[in-house]
Amino acid sequence: MDQLKQIETFVAVAIRGSLSAAARAEGVTPAVIGRRLDALEQRLGVRLLLRTTRSVTLSFEGSAFFEDCQRVLTELSNAEAAVSLGSVKASGHLRISAPAGFGRRHVAPLVREFLDAHPEVSCTLDLSDRLVDLVNEGIDCAIRIGELGDSSLVSVRLAENRRVVVGSPDYLARHGVPATPAELAAHVCLSLGQQRGWQFRAAGGEALTVKVGGRFECNDGAVLHEWALAGHGLAWRSLWEVEGDLRAGRLKSVLDDFAALPNGIHAVYPQRRNLALRVRLFIDFLRNRYGEPGYWQER
């Protein structure tokens, strides 16, 4: 029990950025928080937090330990809920945010399924490509794709996201098939606004970012998808968006040998000790549906 309390305290301090803020949230003194942290670091034999009179920051070892602790505490909370809630039904209003394109195709249809299974739950689905502020906007759960920058949020990995470079057969017949990422400079590349570049793996396995350009640029991925289908150029799109076109032959993927490693599709939510049952069940529902054999091929 003391070890678990030490870990909970460590996570609370890491999230709030100070011993006093964590102490106020729990209703104890900063000295109590400090003793728990000292005991944890002494037990592990490593410095987790770098403390000064003004701030608290995570050490290198502390950052890795923090991510593991968040995951463990979330799984423990879910396990307790699964046992203790028994036949209690989910109810109340659920506010969800998701990227527009992914949300239309892979969140909205599942929201309808989830509400059919839980008739006492209602839902507001916000589809937007902007980065929403979950706490200030009252969002229970957001779906995010790629690297996660906000460590104050709890994340659950739902599925993998792989991106591929695609073009129409007509475009490739007219302009040729690039053999290496460097050859993209000779192609019309459909870019997503001021994006940072297309990600690949070099021959040695290291990450490679290629800046691209062309006559067509748009901040809406669905438009880039349509332009690629129309033969206007090459596009770097997620497999969940173009897999049906690849199977049907409307698009072809290129540079597959240089494809970057998949990143994650995550559900994120604010750090809460007692996560609402409707949120927990919805996240589990998405993870199970995305993990079903053939799910991604059927859409």
Side-chain angles (χ1 to χ4, degrees):
M1 181 63 70
D2 289 342
Q3 293 181 1
L4 178 60
K5 178 59 69 175
Q6 292 167 7
I7 290 174
E8 290 175 336
T9 298
F10 164 69
V11 169
V13 171
I15 290 172
R16 291 175 171 82
S18 74
L19 275 67
S20 57
R24 285 195 299 272
E26 191 175 338
V28 298
T29 65
V32 171
I33 300 296
R35 285 195 294 271
R36 292 176 188 167
L37 294 175
D38 290 340
L40 177 61
E41 291 178 333
Q42 184 176 5
R43 178 165 59 85
L44 298 178
V46 65
R47 178 68 67 184
L48 300 173
L49 294 164
L50 306 176
R51 289 178 260 174
T52 70
T53 56
R54 292 174 177 244
S55 65
V56 175
T57 58
L58 290 166
S59 67
F60 177 79
E61 295 82 1
S63 295
F65 188 59
F66 172 68
E67 294 180 5
D68 289 338
C69 287
Q70 273 197 313
R71 184 176 64 255
V72 168
L73 291 177
T74 299
E75 291 176 353
L76 178 60
S77 177
N78 289 344
E80 290 178 344
V83 172
S84 63
L85 288 171
S87 60
V88 175
K89 294 182 179 179
S91 61
H93 193 67
L94 181 63
R95 291 182 56 86
I96 307 163
S97 172
F102 183 83
R104 282 192 294 269
R105 189 171 301 194
H106 294 291
V107 179
L110 299 188
V111 166
R112 292 196 299 269
E113 291 184 24
F114 181 78
L115 295 183
D116 287 343
H118 301 277
E120 295 182 25
V121 176
S122 59
C123 178
T124 297
L125 176 60
D126 174 28
L127 298 183
S128 172
D129 290 325
R130 68 185 179 86
L131 193 65
V132 300
D133 184 331
L134 274 68
V135 175
N136 291 329
E137 297 183 43
I139 301 295
D140 295 306
C141 170
I143 310 303
R144 292 184 178 170
I145 301 175
E147 298 299 322
L148 301 176
D150 190 347
S151 63
S152 68
L153 300 175
V154 181
S155 68
V156 177
R157 194 179 185 95
L158 303 174
E160 288 192 339
N161 177 58
R162 180 182 164 219
R163 303 193 77 172
V164 292
V165 179
V166 296
S168 70
D170 174 64
Y171 174 87
L172 295 173
R174 287 184 287 113
H175 296 273
V177 178
T180 67
E183 293 183 15
L184 290 173
H187 282 265
V188 179
C189 294
L190 308 172
S191 58
L192 187 67
Q194 298 298 315
Q195 63 183 7
R196 292 170 293 179
W198 295 3
Q199 306 296 317
F200 299 94
R201 280 185 301 158
E206 64 272 17
L208 173 67
T209 300
V210 177
K211 295 286 187 178
V212 299
R215 297 173 56 213
F216 299 99
E217 181 179 291
C218 183
N219 65 350
D220 188 324
V223 172
L224 300 183
H225 183 193
E226 293 297 326
W227 282 349
L229 287 168
H232 294 317
L234 300 177
W236 188 52
R237 307 307 303 152
S238 293
L239 196 57
W240 57 259
E241 182 182 10
V242 300
E243 190 162 30
D245 298 310
L246 294 173
R247 290 199 309 273
R250 293 185 293 268
L251 293 173
K252 292 185 177 180
S253 64
V254 300
L255 301 175
D256 290 345
D257 291 341
F258 299 90
L261 294 175
N263 53 28
I265 300 171
H266 299 88
V268 299
Y269 56 89
Q271 177 75 27
R272 296 191 182 105
R273 188 173 182 84
N274 295 310
L275 187 64
L277 177 61
R278 59 183 176 274
V279 181
R280 182 179 299 113
L281 290 179
F282 180 70
I283 292 173
D284 289 342
F285 177 76
L286 289 184
R287 182 167 52 183
N288 291 335
R289 290 290 277 115
Y290 293 160
E292 290 177 357
Y295 170 84
W296 300 100
Q297 288 72 34
E298 294 170 358
R299 285 161 172 77

